Amino acid sequence: MRNIIYWILCAFLTVAIAIVSLRYVTNFWLLSFVYSFQLHLGVVFVAASLVILAVKRQIYGFILLLVSLLLIAHGVVMLREFSQDGRAADTPPLFRLMSFNIAIDNWKNSTEITDMVIASNADVVNLLEAKPLTFHLQQLFKAYPYHIGCDSGKDTCDTLVLSKRPFVSRQVASMGSLRKNRLVISSVDFGGETINLVSAHLTKPYFDDFQMAELEDLGKVLGSIDGPLVLSGDFNSSVIAPSIQGFLREQKLITIVPEPATWPVAAGALGIAIDHIFARTPLHLRSLKRLDDNLGSNHAGLIAEFVLDKGGETSPAK
């Protein structure tokens, strides 16, 4: 009986490991979200391997344990690939940016979200699914005189970018063919330095191959931008998802690792980061933190500080 249980458990675990390991063969869109959980699943697989070995100690159980550990190790390696160095930690910030998907049905917390945004002291705020803030826009515009989005009523209020300083340039565009106007490209002058700011809200990766098409369009936009760059928003995938990995490599984007987990909010620090703030040199993140309260959203918000590195010297705010 023990032998039967052993091989049944081995069979189930083998199939599970094989599904996660498909990432090394193909980036199948239906499994793309599963790939974002490789570290978490690796830990589950290790625990399952130990249970199998407790039932019966045979070589195949040890092989499953080894493969599970390798999945975890490679997950850590993939996370560190996009980590910047620590040179910016002690430098005064040039500006602060907040990015937060407030959830499109989060009407009851709209007042608290508005107050939090104003109190954040962020220079630029990137709000996604901003429709619940429709009746608080004038209050926000007093604190942030310059804005992009939410100009034509609640039905077109999705991405809202707020700034305390004038926009040097501004554009609203679309990625892919599923949803419109979820890409905002702008630039702001901070103390004589023009910083390019891009806000993006990507489709869930298991919605056919729409996210891949969006990443392709986003890559074309970023490839046409010269100078310091910030990309923030909701990607609905972690940085270890194969499609996101390829995109970050191509665009030479970096972040602070480990990134704060943003989803699911109930998991806290044990969740994964699907909301991101990336930079491209000579811009560097000085800090990256999760907001203290998700205020009813199913995502946690992020706030980051940036410094500009010019030939090894950073340019602080004036």
Side-chain angles (χ1 to χ4, degrees), residues 92-95 123 165 189-193 310 314-318:
L94 178 66
F95 67 98
D123 298 285
R165 305 192 187 198
D189 185 295
F190 293 104
E193 303 289 350
K310 297 187 297 183
T314 53
S315 177
K318 297 180 181 179

Side-chain angles (χ1 to χ4, degrees), residues 291-304:
L291 299 181
D292 294 333
D293 194 334
N294 66 303
L295 295 172
S297 174
N298 59 341
H299 292 248
L302 299 171
I303 191 162

Side-chain angles (χ1 to χ4, degrees), residues 263-295:
W263 185 90
V265 291
L270 297 179
I272 62 172
I274 64 172
D275 303 84
H276 307 282
I277 299 179
F278 301 114
R280 183 160 53 187
T281 56
L283 201 64
H284 292 265
L285 285 99
R286 180 180 182 272
S287 64
L288 176 61
K289 298 178 180 179
R290 182 173 51 196
L291 299 181
D292 294 333
D293 194 334
N294 66 303
L295 295 172

Side-chain angles (χ1 to χ4, degrees), residues 1-316:
M1 185 64 179
R2 180 183 290 252
N3 193 57
I4 294 174
I5 293 174
Y6 172 83
W7 285 112
I8 289 175
L9 292 176
C10 284
F12 278 113
L13 183 55
T14 299
V15 171
I17 290 176
I19 290 173
V20 175
S21 300
L22 280 175
R23 66 168 297 138
Y24 302 109
V25 180
T26 178
N27 183 22
F28 182 39
W29 61 265
L30 192 59
L31 293 175
S32 184
F33 197 57
V34 173
Y35 300 151
S36 291
F37 284 92
Q38 179 166 327
L39 277 169
H40 296 69
L41 292 173
V43 172
V44 172
F45 295 163
V46 166
S49 300
L50 294 175
V51 170
I52 288 172
L53 290 171
V55 173
K56 193 172 184 180
R57 292 191 179 184
Q58 285 192 354
I59 186 64
Y60 192 71
F62 287 103
I63 292 174
L64 292 174
L65 177 60
L66 176 61
V67 174
S68 301
L69 291 171
L70 288 174
L71 285 175
I72 294 175
H74 188 230
V76 173
V77 170
M78 289 189 290
L79 284 176
R80 294 182 61 83
E81 178 181 354
F82 306 106
S83 176
Q84 67 174 34
D85 57 44
R87 79 178 78 178
D90 300 322
T91 307
L94 178 66
F95 67 98
R96 304 178 80 214
L97 179 142
M98 176 196 293
S99 183
F100 187 18
N101 184 339
I102 69 172
I104 199 165
D105 59 350
N106 194 13
W107 291 90
K108 68 178 182 179
N109 294 288
S110 59
T111 300
E112 289 77 7
I113 292 171
T114 300
D115 293 340
M116 181 273 295
V117 168
I118 294 172
S120 70
N121 199 34
D123 298 285
V124 178
V125 180
N126 174 32
L127 298 172
L128 308 177
E129 300 187 17
K131 189 174 181 177
L133 301 181
T134 301
F135 302 109
H136 301 278
L137 292 177
Q138 295 310 310
Q139 184 181 354
L140 286 168
F141 294 164
K142 287 181 181 179
Y144 290 89
Y146 309 98
H147 75 279
I148 304 172
C150 297
D151 293 312
S152 305
K154 67 179 182 179
D155 292 333
T156 59
C157 190
D158 191 344
T159 298
L160 174 63
V161 178
L162 305 167
S163 176
K164 292 184 177 181
R165 305 192 187 198
F167 292 104
V168 176
S169 64
R170 47 186 287 166
Q171 179 185 358
V172 178
S174 300
M175 302 172 290
S177 59
L178 185 61
R179 293 186 174 91
K180 302 298 182 183
N181 301 325
R182 284 193 162 188
L183 176 63
V184 176
I185 309 114
S186 62
S187 59
V188 176
D189 185 295
F190 293 104
E193 303 289 350
T194 299
I195 307 297
N196 300 291
L197 307 169
V198 179
S199 165
H201 188 179
L202 300 183
T203 302
K204 294 176 176 61
Y206 45 84
F207 283 12
D208 209 321
D209 57 357
F210 287 109
Q211 191 191 82
M212 294 295 294
E214 291 172 348
L215 285 170
E216 184 177 349
D217 289 345
L218 181 57
K220 292 176 181 177
V221 169
L222 298 191
S224 67
I225 297 175
D226 295 322
L229 171 71
V230 175
L231 172 62
S232 63
D234 177 6
F235 285 67
N236 277 304
S237 297
S238 78
V239 297
I240 65 174
S243 55
I244 303 298
Q245 276 191 307
F247 171 78
L248 296 179
R249 289 190 193 110
E250 181 181 357
Q251 299 302 324
K252 297 179 172 59
L253 296 169
I254 55 176
T255 188
I256 290 178
V257 176
E259 293 177 280
T262 62
W263 185 90
V265 291
L270 297 179
I272 62 172
I274 64 172
D275 303 84
H276 307 282
I277 299 179
F278 301 114
R280 183 160 53 187
T281 56
L283 201 64
H284 292 265
L285 285 99
R286 180 180 182 272
S287 64
L288 176 61
K289 298 178 180 179
R290 182 173 51 196
L291 299 181
D292 294 333
D293 194 334
N294 66 303
L295 295 172
S297 174
N298 59 341
H299 292 248
L302 299 171
I303 191 162
E305 295 179 331
F306 296 87
V307 296
L308 188 63
D309 187 345
K310 297 187 297 183
E313 295 185 1
T314 53
S315 177

